Amino acid sequence: MQNLSSTQREILLALIELYNREKKMIKSKEVADMISKDEGTVRNIILSLKVLGLVDSKPGPNGGYLPTLKAYEFVKNPTILPLLDKLSLYRGNIETDVKVENIELLDITNPSGNRVILKISGDPKKIRPGDSVRLGPTPYSRLVIEGVVLNTEEERREIIIDVKRMISIPKERVKNIISKRLISLKTIMTVREAARTLYKEGIRGAPVLDDAGNVAGIITTADLMRAFYEGNFDAKVTEYMKKEVITIREDDDIMEAVKKMVTYNVGRLLVMDPVNRVSGMVTRTDILKSIAGLEGLWST
């Protein structure tokens, strides 16, 4: 792909990834949405890729674009994904101070079980062969890569991993995956009453609202278990709730929700509407249901 511009490479790789995943003709808007570029620009670049014999097309409402065999021959060569911002490398669920500067995919057409070379900054000695590692989501393609370290090259500052899973987080607004019915608790409730509500509703956490409907905190089954362990069955929920609540906006992308959950090590976020009122809650389960294969982000 050395004769292609960076924009051509980016659009071709996005088209291949979408086609591999969807197994259908791909619209220019789908490519544009994936890499956050103007659709008109994407369409013009795809036309140039057609001239090069890398893209085929079909007109009409059911038409679109698909990569040719020649395109797949191009990407059999190592493909480097430079990163605008360095990504943290996680060992298990623990963030290390090793940062990933770029990713070299040795066979992008076979994301299951292939090898990836990570160019890193930081001390490569902190990552050892056999370690389970994770990085992502990456910009544009929104890839999350999980694998096992095969080797570390200290002089070249490279880590080679055997990819066990590579998935792309789709674009979706938080408000589209949350439950339409908000279950909340009142500040005047006891932990006993809160436990009864959570059990009845089959949930593991809920926001605590004051009389004006403002968020006072959030309480989970873990908080209630602590209260019961201490024998304070009739204590107010305000004594055991967490007052520092992590929130997200309705129109935020679910990738932002994933980042917040990982960063703050929480399993749920309160969802706020445009006037900053709580409209729901998004949980790990909500996200896992919408994105097949993301369980590994939080496995222990």
Side-chain angles (χ1 to χ4, degrees):
M1 299 178 71
Q2 295 177 351
N3 295 328
L4 298 182
S5 69
S6 59
T7 303
Q8 286 175 315
R9 284 198 301 271
E10 181 182 31
I11 289 173
L12 181 59
L13 291 176
L15 177 63
I16 289 173
E17 183 177 332
L18 285 167
Y19 181 75
N20 287 345
R21 190 169 69 209
E22 304 293 337
K23 304 299 183 186
K24 66 176 182 64
M25 303 292 284
I26 303 301
K27 305 291 187 184
S28 57
K29 185 177 187 306
E30 294 177 88
V31 177
D33 288 344
M34 182 176 184
I35 62 176
S36 300
K37 287 190 181 299
D38 177 71
E39 184 183 359
T41 300
V42 169
R43 192 182 300 112
N44 290 335
I45 295 296
I46 288 179
L47 290 177
S48 72
L49 294 173
K50 277 193 66 177
V51 172
L52 295 173
L54 299 174
V55 173
D56 203 353
S57 64
K58 176 183 176 182
N62 296 321
Y65 302 98
L66 75 161
T68 64
L69 290 177
K70 183 178 178 181
Y72 282 101
E73 287 298 318
F74 267 84
V75 299
K76 280 184 179 178
N77 297 319
T79 302
I80 295 179
L81 302 179
L83 303 174
L84 297 177
D85 297 312
K86 296 179 181 179
L87 293 176
S88 294
L89 187 67
Y90 288 79
R91 184 172 55 226
N93 280 334
I94 307 299
E95 183 179 5
T96 71
D97 57 6
V98 174
K99 304 295 183 181
V100 178
E101 296 182 344
N102 65 42
I103 304 167
E104 185 174 331
L105 306 175
L106 298 185
D107 185 1
I108 195 172
T109 64
N110 178 28
S112 176
N114 69 338
R115 289 177 300 141
V116 168
I117 298 177
L118 307 178
K119 192 75 174 180
I120 65 166
S121 59
D123 187 0
K125 293 180 180 179
K126 294 184 177 180
I127 304 296
R128 299 187 176 123
D131 285 346
S132 294
V133 294
R134 169 175 57 82
L135 68 146
T138 61
Y140 303 130
S141 60
R142 302 156 66 97
L143 288 177
V144 176
I145 301 173
E146 297 176 344
V148 175
V149 176
L150 295 176
N151 193 25
T152 59
E153 299 284 349
E154 294 183 25
E155 292 185 5
R156 290 187 292 182
R157 294 196 169 278
E158 292 179 344
I159 296 174
I160 303 174
I161 68 172
D162 180 26
V163 176
K164 300 303 181 185
R165 175 161 48 187
M166 185 186 298
I167 57 177
S168 180
I169 299 178
K171 286 196 171 184
E172 185 70 84
R173 291 182 179 181
V174 169
K175 67 181 179 182
N176 294 334
I177 67 170
I178 63 175
S179 171
K180 301 303 179 184
R181 179 168 168 255
L182 174 64
I183 307 299
S184 62
L185 306 172
K186 296 294 186 181
T187 53
I188 60 172
M189 294 177 71
T190 65
V191 294
R192 189 195 303 271
E193 292 170 326
R196 188 179 296 117
T197 299
L198 296 191
Y199 176 77
K200 177 183 176 183
E201 299 294 340
I203 57 178
R204 292 189 291 177
V208 179
L209 308 181
D210 62 20
D211 292 338
N214 299 315
V215 178
I218 187 171
I219 197 163
T220 66
T221 51
D223 301 319
L224 297 175
M225 287 177 63
R226 182 166 64 89
F228 289 170
Y229 177 78
E230 295 173 359
N232 294 330
F233 304 104
D234 294 316
K236 291 290 189 290
V237 290
T238 51
E239 296 180 38
Y240 286 90
M241 70 183 186
K242 296 178 181 68
K243 295 182 181 179
E244 293 185 7
V245 180
I246 311 301
T247 64
I248 194 163
R249 295 187 298 272
E250 286 182 337
D251 289 330
D252 280 347
D253 194 286
I254 59 173
M255 189 164 81
E256 182 64 24
V258 170
K259 289 179 180 178
K260 284 194 172 185
M261 288 181 180
V262 172
T263 299
Y264 295 103
N265 191 29
V266 295
R268 52 191 54 80
L269 305 171
L270 288 190
V271 181
M272 311 304 287
D273 67 15
V275 295
N276 210 34
R277 303 275 291 188
V278 62
S279 61
M281 181 181 292
V282 62
T283 67
R284 293 174 179 175
T285 302
D286 294 327
I287 295 176
L288 294 176
K289 286 180 179 178
S290 67
I291 311 171
L294 264 188
E295 292 87 345
L297 283 177
W298 297 294
S299 60
T300 56

